[in-house]
Amino acid sequence: MVNRWVAPIGASRTGAAHRRAGRPCQDAVLCRALRGLEGQPVMVMAVADGHGGRRYRRSEVGSRLACETALAAVQGALAARPLDGGEEGWRLWLEGELPEAIQQGWLEAVAAHWQSDPGEGGFEALLYGSTLGLVVMTPRWWGHTGLGDWDLVRVEADGQARLLEEENEPAALGEATCSLCQPRAASLFARRAGLHQLDGDAGEFALVLCTDGIRKSCATDGDFLTLAAWLARGDGEADPDSASSLAAALDRISREGSGDDVTVAVGRVWSPGGGMPPTLPSDPPVADAPPAPQTAPRPPAPPAPEPAPATPPRRRRPAIGRAVAIGLALAGVGGSWLALNWPRLPPTPAATPGFPGLQAALSEVERLCGQPAAIPLELRRRRELFVALRQGRRDPALLKAAAAGDPLAALIAADLPAVPPGTMQGPEPAHRPGHHRPVRALGACPALLEALDRQWALTPASPTS
């Protein structure tokens, strides 16, 4: 079986806000080329995000140990069972056996670290709390598992990006996330586990695995997908400088975005028609992402955005916007950086009748319909707004009047359906005549209309009084 995977690369950088506060990087990344029981090459990449804060004051150690124990658990399984032993067995392994091995190994590792370096008070795993995202890539299949607020994006050869995995845990709200330090953490992996066949005739694609600092630095999910597509362009075999270039890019993303620690790992599969991939030696070397120097090459400085707060809300801060993401996508790896324009939002206009900010609304419709795959993700991020509008806790007229400042909120407000109080529209969207649909008059595409219908269908109305 021919190996189509290029050795993955990764980088982890201390966030700009953490550097200013003198705090260490609480993220970790580990990429390795392993071998199966019968000699097949297996690529593995892991990212982890320590929680930080006083309660988790050793989480920078916890994230490193999370990656190390995950790789050790994968290596142990590869040494004990053949890769060709049936994909269903490996799927179950990703859901149950591997998580159990990882959590047990991690608990033992953090306890051993405490024994070697005890601190104040008694030992508890909470001190080392961390998330974990893991991708295993074999000649026949690839799979993922983990827990916490990491993201996995697949990027096709033409640059089209699709979000495969994100945290969607009911218990994980706001800054909360699932963690290895939870008592039943292993049982939470199954929700994030999946196995995918690697079609021998499939074209090239890349997998981008990242901690939440990347996504928090983007204003919208569409911008995040654009940024992931740009990050996927690096190739550790073809460009030896790509790892350092990746580190420089991450520094900039954090500095101009969330200020959080940022970590990414990229795995790529080559096309059968694109020539032979790089070969592995008989004993594959450890391909851990090399630590990049803290003084990475500095690209030309763009106009500075407004300072970021030290602890921004998870995935909700409008930081790196569409202009930045597109600028990054157009820049070559290791090449010159584009001068970026950081538009400042105009003052919110006073609430007046009608639909002010028409041009902003039209531009927003064009933006959304230009990337239809991202529309459901963006609307899902506005769930609180859908609920507040339906339950009468937000005034749609004010949101429409402020369209220039938040055009997506204005579009949602303009689309508010008339539903009797105390009812739900769902589970299926209700039909609404086109002439009663302001967003249709703005040129909304079918994908946007359907996604709006779906969100309204799942949103409860105000309880009857």
Side-chain angles (χ1 to χ4, degrees):
M1 175 62 66
V2 177
N3 172 44
R4 294 180 54 201
W5 293 100
V6 177
I9 62 169
S12 184
R13 303 293 289 171
T14 305
H18 285 192
R19 286 199 297 272
R20 289 193 295 268
R23 297 199 300 268
C25 180
Q26 289 148 354
D27 279 10
V29 62
L30 195 55
C31 301
R32 278 194 184 152
L34 306 176
R35 289 206 180 267
L37 184 62
E38 298 168 340
Q40 307 99 318
V42 177
M43 308 297 174
V44 185
M45 53 188 186
V47 300
D49 181 0
H51 306 323
R54 182 168 180 78
R55 295 182 67 197
Y56 313 98
R57 55 186 178 273
R58 292 197 176 189
S59 60
E60 74 274 12
V61 178
S63 62
R64 173 178 59 82
L65 294 176
C67 290
E68 292 177 0
T69 55
L71 269 290
V74 172
Q75 192 162 27
L78 293 175
R81 58 195 300 178
L83 281 173
D84 297 335
E87 292 179 7
E88 185 59 27
W90 285 105
R91 186 190 308 276
L92 295 174
W93 172 73
L94 287 167
E95 294 178 356
E97 296 175 39
L98 178 60
E100 291 286 352
I102 290 173
Q103 188 184 20
Q104 182 62 34
W106 183 81
L107 289 172
E108 293 174 357
V110 297
H113 182 272
W114 179 268
Q115 289 294 325
S116 66
D117 183 20
E120 298 178 2
F123 166 76
E124 54 179 337
L126 190 75
L127 296 167
Y128 294 83
S130 174
T131 68
L132 175 67
L134 179 68
V135 176
V136 180
M137 298 160 281
T138 80
R140 292 185 181 275
W141 55 265
W142 61 273
H144 52 80
T145 193
L147 81 172
D149 50 5
W150 50 274
D151 298 294
L152 178 62
V153 177
R154 173 168 171 158
V155 182
E156 306 299 337
D158 62 359
Q160 290 295 312
R162 177 164 54 96
L163 181 63
L164 298 179
E165 266 299 322
E166 64 174 336
E167 185 168 44
N168 196 19
E169 178 68 35
L173 300 174
E175 286 292 317
T177 185
C178 297
S179 172
L180 280 168
C181 67
Q182 292 176 257
R184 298 180 62 251
S187 65
L188 303 175
F189 280 63
R191 297 182 177 93
R192 310 292 304 277
L195 185 142
H196 311 265
Q197 289 186 345
L198 184 61
D199 187 349
D201 297 326
E204 294 183 6
F205 66 88
L207 298 173
V208 179
L209 176 67
C210 57
T211 57
D212 70 330
I214 301 290
R215 193 167 178 177
K216 285 197 301 188
S217 294
C218 297
T220 67
D221 288 311
D223 295 338
F224 169 62
L225 294 177
T226 300
L227 186 56
W230 178 82
L231 290 170
R233 293 178 59 183
D235 185 335
E237 297 290 341
D239 180 4
D241 296 327
S242 63
S244 59
S245 298
L246 180 60
L250 293 182
D251 280 336
R252 180 173 185 176
I253 290 169
S254 178
R255 183 173 66 250
E256 297 170 0
S258 67
D260 195 7
D261 297 335
V262 283
T263 297
V264 68
V266 181
R268 300 186 51 158
V269 68
W270 64 283
S271 172
M276 291 299 292
T279 57
L280 292 173
S282 55
D283 292 314
V286 172
D288 299 352
Q294 288 296 319
T295 55
R298 295 177 60 86
E306 294 296 325
T311 56
R314 183 165 68 98
R315 299 182 185 171
R316 290 189 174 88
R317 179 180 175 273
I320 292 182
R322 184 171 176 79
V324 176
I326 292 177
L328 290 175
L330 294 176
V333 173
S336 61
W337 292 82
L338 301 181
L340 304 174
N341 296 319
W342 290 79
R344 297 183 183 274
L345 297 178
T348 301
T352 57
F355 196 173
L358 179 60
Q359 187 57 50
L362 289 169
S363 298
E364 183 71 355
V365 168
E366 181 181 3
R367 181 187 71 82
L368 291 167
C369 292
Q371 45 189 7
I375 292 175
L377 303 176
E378 295 208 25
L379 295 188
R380 194 163 64 197
R381 295 291 173 197
R382 299 296 187 105
R383 282 293 301 156
E384 293 181 4
L385 178 59
F386 280 94
V387 174
L389 283 166
R390 177 63 70 82
Q391 297 184 353
R393 293 184 283 107
R394 294 292 298 272
D395 186 346
L398 294 178
L399 292 171
K400 288 186 286 185
D406 190 348
L408 180 53
L411 290 175
I412 295 171
D415 199 53
L416 176 64
V419 177
T423 66
M424 287 188 67
Q425 206 181 300
E428 293 300 324
H431 173 71
R432 285 188 280 172
H435 61 277
H436 290 157
R437 204 83 189 262
V439 292
R440 188 188 295 274
L442 291 171
C445 56
L448 177 55
L449 295 173
E450 291 171 8
L452 284 165
D453 280 340
R454 171 57 58 183
Q455 286 300 322
W456 291 124
L458 299 174
T459 303
S462 304
T464 51
S465 55

